[in-house]
Amino acid sequence: MAEYEMILTEVEGRVAIIRLNRPKALNALCDQLMDELGQALRGYDADPGIAAIVITGSEKAFAAGADIKEMQGRSYPAIYLDDFIGKRWEAVTYVQKPVIAAVAGFALGGGCELAMMCDIILAGDNAKFGQPEINLGVIPGAGGTQRLTRAIGKSKAMELILTGRMMDAAEAERANLVARVVPAAEVVAEAVKLGEKIGTLSAPSVAIAKEAVNRAYETTLAEGVKFERRLFQSLFATADQKEGMAAFAEKRKARFENR
Ligand SMILES: CC(C)(O)CC(=O)SCCNC(=O)CCNC(=O)[C@H](O)C(C)(C)COP(=O)(O)OP(=O)(O)OC[C@H]1O[C@@H](n2cnc3c(N)ncnc32)[C@H](O)[C@@H]1OP(=O)(O)O
């Protein structure tokens, strides 16, 4: 039986906002919360009225990681058979629409990993990022060793992961982990603005651009460039490509119909 709703949702224009809602536990990511998050993400991804999704927490914590108290007593066979972290946590990586993490406060362990699964991270100026799992006698288990290394490079990722040190928003911006730093109180509004801007563009182009950028993580440069070219060519089958290019030539604003 669910304790209470661990995520809150609202829609502003064409942007869905999913707010993690376990303030007393600094939004520790327990199974119930991750199940609710997955369900909300799948719902908004399927909703044609939604162009982008923002995931956020509170001003004190985006999320302080996986729920340590919930997982501490689990056995190896139990977490292996449950594929702990796997299915439940990967929901965000299957979303076709852009997902923006609006991070204020702590984004630690699984919180940092969840933010890194999103497409864009906007950081509040009080944000703190880190992978402190080493202090618990484990290592990151939701992609932290891989995504952080790809985002900020080996040396800095090693330093953070091997020591558990946190980095503040300014350092995270210098390290290219986040797209931009804004005042913490404005991070959700800025993320919504960004989602709205993306929502004015052609939805097929946006989804395909996201797919192409994500492929950069998975393949060689030559294969990635070939993949990009095929996707680029495929967009000439859309009405939005005709409209976008006609609008440029006619010096007017494009009216995309998402087809
Ligand atoms: C996903 C994987 C596989 O990668 C694994 C992980 O994510 S493991 C978790 C990694 N995260 C951490 O190790 C961070 C743990 N939290 C902290 O270090 C601190 O809470 C803090 C630095 C984020 C904030 O410190 P402070 O302001 O002093 O607040 P606290 O009193 O410590 O916390 C308030 C309240 O929240 C509970 N809490 C915080 N984090 C977690 C967590 N990850 N799991 C469960 N509960 C958490 C904390 O216990 C406090 O609750 P009470 O004990 O007072 O009821």
Side-chain angles (χ1 to χ4, degrees):
M1 174 74 177
E3 218 184 308
Y4 64 97
E5 285 181 6
M6 292 191 178
I7 60 161
L8 302 174
T9 59
E10 65 187 285
V11 173
E12 271 188 40
R14 300 191 62 223
V15 180
I17 305 167
I18 302 177
R19 194 177 289 276
L20 311 180
N21 180 42
R22 276 191 90 193
K24 288 188 188 147
L26 303 184
N27 292 327
L29 303 167
C30 63
D31 288 353
Q32 182 191 327
L33 188 154
M34 295 311 289
D35 286 343
E36 289 182 19
L37 176 62
Q39 208 176 340
L41 286 167
R42 285 186 289 276
Y44 287 130
D45 204 26
D47 181 342
I50 297 298
I53 302 168
V54 171
I55 302 180
T56 192
S58 67
E59 218 170 300
K60 171 140 195 210
F62 177 73
D67 188 324
I68 300 166
K69 295 168 192 168
E70 186 180 64
M71 76 179 147
Q72 69 178 122
R74 288 180 171 169
S75 68
Y76 172 63
I79 64 166
Y80 181 82
L81 291 174
D82 188 38
D83 189 24
F84 179 53
I85 296 299
K87 292 189 276 290
R88 190 169 262 129
W89 282 63
E90 281 175 355
V92 64
T93 66
Y94 293 107
V95 175
Q96 242 185 340
K97 292 173 183 167
V99 184
I100 303 163
V103 176
F106 296 110
L108 302 178
C112 186
E113 291 168 306
L114 174 63
M116 291 190 292
M117 286 180 214
C118 297
D119 301 310
I120 301 172
I121 305 177
L122 287 192
D125 51 11
N126 70 342
K128 285 199 173 352
F129 297 87
Q131 298 288 162
E133 290 88 344
I134 203 84
N135 296 320
L136 301 170
V138 292
I139 67 166
T145 61
Q146 305 304 300
R147 291 197 178 91
L148 189 64
T149 306
R150 283 165 164 80
I152 69 175
K154 175 178 162 181
S155 188
K156 205 171 186 68
M158 279 286 191
E159 192 222 341
L160 292 172
I161 290 168
L162 300 189
T163 66
R165 177 175 81 79
M166 295 182 213
M167 63 177 165
D168 65 18
E171 185 179 357
E173 186 179 31
R174 285 196 303 276
N176 291 326
L177 181 63
V178 308
R180 202 147 41 87
V181 180
V182 300
E186 293 165 26
V187 71
V188 176
E190 284 295 324
V192 170
K193 218 189 286 174
L194 184 56
E196 289 286 9
K197 163 72 189 155
I198 294 169
T200 64
L201 303 168
S202 161
S205 315
V206 167
I208 285 176
K210 168 172 167 163
E211 192 181 348
V213 173
N214 279 332
R215 185 57 71 99
Y217 277 97
E218 310 289 349
T219 192
T220 63
L221 178 63
E223 284 303 318
V225 168
K226 206 187 291 174
F227 181 71
E228 177 196 83
R229 192 175 311 135
R230 291 285 170 262
L231 293 180
F232 166 76
Q233 290 163 346
S234 75
L235 285 166
F236 283 71
T238 66
D240 285 347
Q241 173 266 327
K242 303 286 175 278
E243 166 61 12
M245 294 190 183
F248 175 82
E250 293 159 19
K251 300 189 188 304
R252 62 173 173 82
K253 202 168 169 335
R255 288 179 298 270
F256 292 119
E257 292 180 357
N258 301 327
R259 61 190 181 87

